[in-house]
Amino acid sequence: MQRVTHDLVFTNGTVFAGGRARRADVAVDGERIIAVGDGLTGRETVDLDGGLLMPGFQDAHVHPIAAGVQLLRCDLASLDSADEYLRTVRRYAAAHPDLDWIIGGGWSMEAFPGGTPTRQALDAIVADRPVYLPNRDSHGAWVNTRALELAGIGRSTPDPVDGRIEREPDGHPSGTLHEGAADLVGRHVPAATDAELDAGLRAAQEVLFSYGVTGWQDAWVGPGLHGHRDLLPVYLRAAANGALRARVGGALWWERDRGLDQLAELRARRGTAGRFTARTVKIMQDGVAENFTAAMSLPYRDACGGATANAGLSFVDPALLKEYVTRLDAEDFQVHLHALGDRAVREALDAIEAARVANGPRGNRHQLAHLQVVHPDDFDRFAALDVTANLQALWACHEPQMDELTIPFLDPVLAARQYPFAGLRDAGARLAAGSDWMVSSPDPMLAAHVAVNRTAPGEPVDRPFLPAQALTLGDFLTAYTEGSAFVCHRDSTGRIAPGLFADLAVLDRDPFARPAAEIALTRVRRTYVGGELVFSAD
């Protein structure tokens, strides 16, 4: 029999398939995988050199356009201290004397006492122009006095219902604005131009390709994130002109201060263009634990360990949430819910259950993202309701934001229930995974390191965070590939099997053959989308 020669063959390494690594060759013709076996030949051969061939990673919750634009502005994400932040802002302002506003972001709450930087620190370096710097998780912003003045925010300004203004002893805003309070200034920030947004998408796509990410779900496609205009036209332009080479799903933003009157607009925005699809609606049900806005079942503690009257915020009334999710499900929208606290998780599951009772199972692949605290009684509900658990594993470790700004302020019962990955897996929940970049690194292997070791990359593995909730490496890589492909409705991707698209990542080693403590050292050598090489470190 004559041997078939394929367009491209990967050989001399291992292949991740069926949740494990095994020796095999993989052949590609055109856009698709044709064969997985031994002794395959190709016109072009990629020597894996003992590395691992993966299905391309798919980031199930990410904000790439905002991350890309931030890279082009006053970017603080790679820095670690207040002094570094201030030096960078000073240099950026001096280098851009023509800018009316100083805009950027990416600072971490752990760099400041109580997680709250002050306006005076910014005033000392930029007093003549407003400064607006969202933090790393986009749930707050640091502003100077000029920005507060331009927005008309003073002692008498009340906290919005969905946020909080940090204040000085006399009631004057101190310079940190949480959640919806950040919008009080954010709405005055000049919007990014089309050229900036397009450049941001291109820059972010290259970053994601360099980490082996071949597709993603943008978790906020609409106006408002970091003051940007609607991001849908950015994707549509990129899809039309060929700039979008990844496979992307857009989660259309649900405006929580409106109701079902926005349904007609969402219908009009739904559709597919090239490699971009919008069929999902994103609802943010609560905030984050570090600023005490994640919706918990038990009140937060104060600095002395005593219970407060605050159990966080439900941004959408739970009764209305049931109504909205039921209607969206009936309209065949997928619903993507930000649910971080255990009360928000239960409210979200209750809403999906109400939709299922009203509409029957419709296969819309609803999902809950973040899941920092989940009540064990709710684990089984994920599988029963066919809800995917969308995990951001990089946060499940001891680090300053956890140890200094979260654990001391959570009820101990809740603190012991954080990031219950194994509990959800064991209850039969389908797992997907994402980075939430720009909040944290977009590198899937760093997240894999934490999911398996429950320690931060570079830290000793002998002090794991709630180690009973660790996943196996196979579990987590499956979540970041097949699980994310499922929740993104990309059934022709996510696995290495004949007939599927050749969306692939070549790793420089086989992490299954190395100690778990070395997972974070893994690097991506090459990335392919539909058989096309889109990144090479060689």
Side-chain angles (χ1 to χ4, degrees):
M1 173 181 275
Q2 185 177 6
R3 177 174 289 185
V4 176
T5 300
H6 300 283
D7 292 343
L8 178 63
V9 169
F10 299 86
T11 189
N12 191 29
T14 51
V15 174
F16 181 71
R20 63 186 181 88
R22 63 184 179 90
R23 283 277 173 179
D25 297 340
V26 174
V28 173
D29 284 340
E31 290 189 308
R32 295 186 183 265
I33 298 165
I34 298 301
V36 180
D38 297 319
L40 303 176
T41 60
R43 282 177 281 277
E44 179 185 352
T45 299
V46 175
D47 183 356
L48 298 174
D49 192 25
L52 179 67
L53 182 66
M54 289 282 306
F57 293 107
Q58 301 197 35
D59 195 318
H61 187 108
V62 65
H63 306 284
I65 296 177
V69 170
Q70 183 173 289
L71 289 172
L72 306 175
R73 290 179 167 176
C74 186
D75 182 25
L76 308 178
S78 63
L79 309 176
D80 297 315
S81 71
D83 288 343
E84 289 178 303
Y85 297 151
L86 291 169
R87 284 196 297 270
T88 300
V89 174
R90 184 194 301 273
R91 286 196 300 267
Y92 183 86
H96 297 86
D98 56 319
L99 294 179
D100 294 330
W101 284 70
I102 302 302
I103 308 167
W107 55 274
S108 181
M109 294 176 69
E110 66 202 46
F112 300 96
T116 55
T118 67
R119 61 188 174 95
Q120 289 87 352
L122 287 177
D123 292 346
I125 56 175
V126 184
D128 60 328
R129 290 176 283 171
V131 180
Y132 180 78
L133 302 168
N135 67 3
R136 195 165 293 177
D137 64 16
S138 300
H139 288 268
W142 180 18
V143 299
N144 67 350
T145 300
R146 184 64 180 138
L148 292 167
E149 291 171 348
L150 285 176
I153 302 173
R155 291 184 183 86
S156 61
T157 304
D159 288 347
V161 295
D162 61 347
R164 187 177 76 253
I165 302 170
E166 288 288 342
R167 299 179 188 271
E168 296 161 0
D170 66 355
H172 195 285
S174 66
T176 300
L177 306 172
H178 300 292
E179 299 293 347
D183 295 336
L184 300 177
V185 172
R187 65 173 62 115
H188 298 277
V189 173
T193 65
D194 287 349
E196 287 179 293
L197 294 171
D198 293 345
L201 175 56
R202 291 193 301 271
Q205 181 172 240
E206 294 305 314
V207 170
L208 290 166
F209 284 161
S210 75
Y211 291 120
V213 176
T214 58
W216 66 78
Q217 179 177 205
D218 189 316
W220 190 327
V221 177
L225 180 60
H226 280 205
H228 295 317
R229 293 178 293 172
D230 185 9
L231 301 183
L232 182 60
V234 185
Y235 280 115
L236 296 179
R237 284 195 299 271
N241 65 28
L244 186 65
R245 294 178 288 165
R247 304 186 200 279
V248 178
L252 303 173
W253 183 246
W254 180 269
E255 297 181 50
R256 59 183 180 245
D257 57 348
R258 298 174 61 190
L260 291 173
D261 60 297
Q262 59 193 295
L263 258 179
E265 298 164 31
L266 291 169
R267 287 191 213 102
R269 291 162 64 79
R270 175 165 54 183
T272 297
R275 289 180 172 173
F276 176 77
T277 299
R279 59 162 299 168
T280 303
V281 173
K282 164 74 176 296
I283 300 177
M284 184 176 287
Q285 184 57 13
D286 69 342
V288 295
E290 294 84 3
N291 66 14
F292 317 127
T293 59
M296 301 292 181
S297 61
L298 296 170
Y300 289 94
R301 300 299 181 98
D302 61 24
C304 298
T308 69
N310 174 34
L313 299 174
S314 295
F315 291 147
V316 180
D317 179 272
L320 290 175
L321 185 67
K322 291 180 180 179
E323 180 183 354
Y324 299 160
V325 172
T326 297
R327 184 65 180 276
L328 289 165
D329 179 65
E331 299 265 355
D332 282 329
F333 281 103
Q334 178 187 43
V335 183
H336 178 151
L337 289 131
H338 167 122
L340 195 140
D342 64 335
R343 191 178 84 235
V345 171
R346 182 161 293 178
E347 291 166 354
L349 290 170
D350 288 348
I352 293 171
E353 183 174 38
R356 196 174 178 89
V357 169
N359 304 328
R362 299 181 65 86
N364 286 325
R365 306 187 185 185
H366 303 310
Q367 59 192 293
L368 270 60
H370 305 323
L371 304 171
Q372 181 166 347
V373 180
V374 184
H375 195 289
D377 289 350
D378 287 324
F379 290 173
D380 291 339
R381 299 180 71 195
F382 282 81
L385 297 172
D386 196 21
V387 175
T388 295
N390 189 330
L391 311 179
Q392 285 64 57
L394 193 57
W395 309 336
C397 60
H398 285 293
E399 42 81 34
Q401 193 150 306
M402 172 63 72
D403 293 344
E404 298 171 13
L405 299 179
T406 302
I407 291 175
F409 299 98
L410 286 182
D411 185 283
V413 171
L414 301 184
R417 292 176 175 168
Q418 293 189 81
Y419 301 114
F421 302 156
L424 290 164
R425 176 204 59 198
D426 294 345
R430 181 184 289 107
L431 307 182
S435 67
D436 207 9
W437 184 46
M438 58 202 164
V439 176
S440 51
S441 168
D443 185 347
M445 295 310 298
L446 296 186
H449 182 100
V450 177
V452 173
N453 294 290
R454 301 288 286 204
T455 56
E459 295 294 322
V461 295
D462 59 356
R463 186 176 170 250
F465 175 71
L466 303 175
Q469 295 300 331
L471 295 174
T472 68
L473 181 59
D475 287 337
F476 187 71
L477 296 184
T478 298
Y480 225 122
T481 53
E482 185 175 351
S484 294
F486 175 88
V487 84
C488 293
H489 290 268
R490 289 193 281 268
D491 295 340
S492 293
T493 66
R495 294 178 293 121
I496 294 179
L500 301 189
F501 283 116
D503 296 357
L504 303 166
V506 177
L507 307 188
D508 68 349
R509 68 197 69 195
D510 179 355
F512 289 91
R514 305 288 185 102
E518 298 179 7
I519 291 172
L521 301 177
T522 307
R523 298 291 181 265
V524 172
R525 285 177 46 209
R526 290 186 169 203
T527 306
Y528 295 80
V529 179
E532 176 191 359
L533 181 66
V534 295
F535 168 78
S536 175
D538 299 338

